[in-house]
Amino acid sequence: MIDVGHRYIDISTFLSILNYFNLDTQETSKRLIKYSDTIVTVDIGIKSHYKELFMKNTQLDTVVNLSHDAILLTDKDNFILLYNKKFSQIFDITDNIIGKNFSHVLPNRSLQNSDQSIIDELIQFKDRSLLVSSSKIEYFGEPAGTYYNFQEVTYIRHLEKSLSKKLRDNGLVTRYTFANIQTKSPRMKDCINFAKQLSPTNHTVLITGESGTGK
């Protein structure tokens, strides 16, 4: 403890103290900005830059926490830098996990050992089914961390049902079926039977033919 008497501490010194003791939180930032408005300092540039940085971090925090997806950001050594409220809800996080290793929070080997980006990998957490995607982050060509995105399968299904209902309400529904096609042509009947086999699948279908043939 250092007794500085009645002297004021400048902004740059406070920033060094906060960083040294890892106390740079949203609450300490608010207090430092409020304190900086009460003193006259030569660090005008630092003061304005710090205010601008705090505002951008607040905006980023708002956007991240409005997301319906769970978001996590780690550094190159897998220590957690950022996560949102949805991540806390899905994984039952009650304590602050900033600075903790991701493997201690979510011990999933497939996520920890992956050197490549992940696209829609299905994992289980307790009674939840989750789709996970990840993307490696680089800074000047060097590994800088990993971004993770988690989506609940039940939420995705809810979106599909909601979208289907809205499409039906707007009249965007199927009006014709195979039974509506009237033909005696054997080749046309073969086409209909082939189409019936394809219809339950998710395969991409390309239909070719001359213009005006009724593709």
Side-chain angles (χ1 to χ4, degrees), residues 108-174:
N108 186 293
R109 293 185 180 275
S110 63
L111 297 180
Q112 306 303 326
N113 299 330
S114 177
D115 294 328
Q116 303 296 326
S117 296
I118 301 171
I119 300 177
D120 292 337
E121 180 175 320
L122 185 65
I123 66 169
Q124 294 293 135
F125 180 79
K126 296 183 178 179
D127 58 341
R128 289 188 171 102
S129 297
L130 305 170
L131 284 179
V132 186
S133 296
S134 71
S135 179
K136 298 296 179 180
I137 301 172
E138 292 186 353
Y139 186 72
F140 288 108
E142 296 293 328
T146 307
Y147 167 82
Y148 294 91
N149 181 281
F150 301 83
Q151 291 180 305
E152 287 190 275
V153 174
T154 52
Y155 176 69
I156 297 174
R157 289 173 178 168
H158 174 73
L159 287 180
E160 290 176 345
K161 291 181 180 179
S162 177
L163 177 59
S164 297
K165 182 179 182 303
K166 288 181 179 179
L167 290 175
R168 288 196 302 270
D169 292 342
N170 290 329
L172 299 176
V173 293
T174 303

Side-chain angles (χ1 to χ4, degrees), residues 15 23 26 31 35 37 40 54 56 63-64 67 71 86 106-107 116 126 150 158 161 163 177 180 188 191 201-203:
L15 289 174
L23 297 173
Q26 189 174 28
R31 294 188 180 192
Y35 166 78
D37 289 335
V40 178
F54 175 77
K56 289 182 178 179
V63 172
V64 167
S67 174
I71 294 173
K86 191 63 179 181
L106 186 61
Q116 303 296 326
K126 296 183 178 179
F150 301 83
H158 174 73
K161 291 181 180 179
L163 177 59
T177 66
N180 294 116
M188 191 63 188
C191 288
T201 72
N202 290 322
H203 297 312

Side-chain angles (χ1 to χ4, degrees), residues 4 21 24 36 102 111 114 139 159 198 209 215:
V4 297
F21 291 105
D24 191 8
S36 67
F102 184 32
L111 297 180
S114 177
Y139 186 72
L159 287 180
L198 289 174
K215 293 189 295 295

